[in-house]
Amino acid sequence: ATRSSRRVADYRIYLEAISGGRAGLLRPEEGETQRALTLRLRRAAREVGRALSISKCGDGVVFWFTESKRRGRPPKYGAPHA
């Protein structure tokens, strides 16, 4: 496994341990950017199946779980079939 995928796996374990309604704060490791940290957090959240909100906070990022909202056009319920 690559170093990036190992980090994502670590973030996934971290996200699974956080219960709903709580927030987390992470700071980038040496040589890691805030952007890379955000991308890995989002990837880990997608793998866990949770929606995540992320906000920059100084040199780190604060994140919390949110309700996933379906984007796009709503389905047409009860539409007649031709």
Side-chain angles (χ1 to χ4, degrees):
T2 64
R3 184 172 45 163
S4 177
S5 63
R6 283 193 300 266
R7 283 186 180 171
V8 170
D10 291 341
Y11 294 146
R12 191 173 57 237
I13 292 168
Y14 185 64
L15 290 176
E16 288 172 343
I18 294 177
S19 59
R22 297 190 62 196
L25 170 66
L26 287 175
R27 289 190 170 81
E29 295 178 1
E30 187 71 32
E32 184 180 31
T33 64
Q34 207 174 31
R35 175 80 176 139
L37 175 65
T38 300
L39 290 173
R40 290 188 187 107
L41 265 176
R42 288 201 190 282
R43 186 183 310 164
R46 191 170 41 242
E47 289 178 9
V48 172
R50 306 279 305 270
L52 199 65
S53 287
I54 299 175
S55 180
K56 293 180 183 178
C57 179
D59 63 340
V61 294
V62 176
F63 58 93
W64 60 95
F65 293 115
T66 59
E67 295 293 321
S68 69
K69 296 179 182 174
R70 185 182 180 280
R71 294 181 55 185
R73 186 175 181 169
K76 295 181 180 180
Y77 295 108
H81 298 290

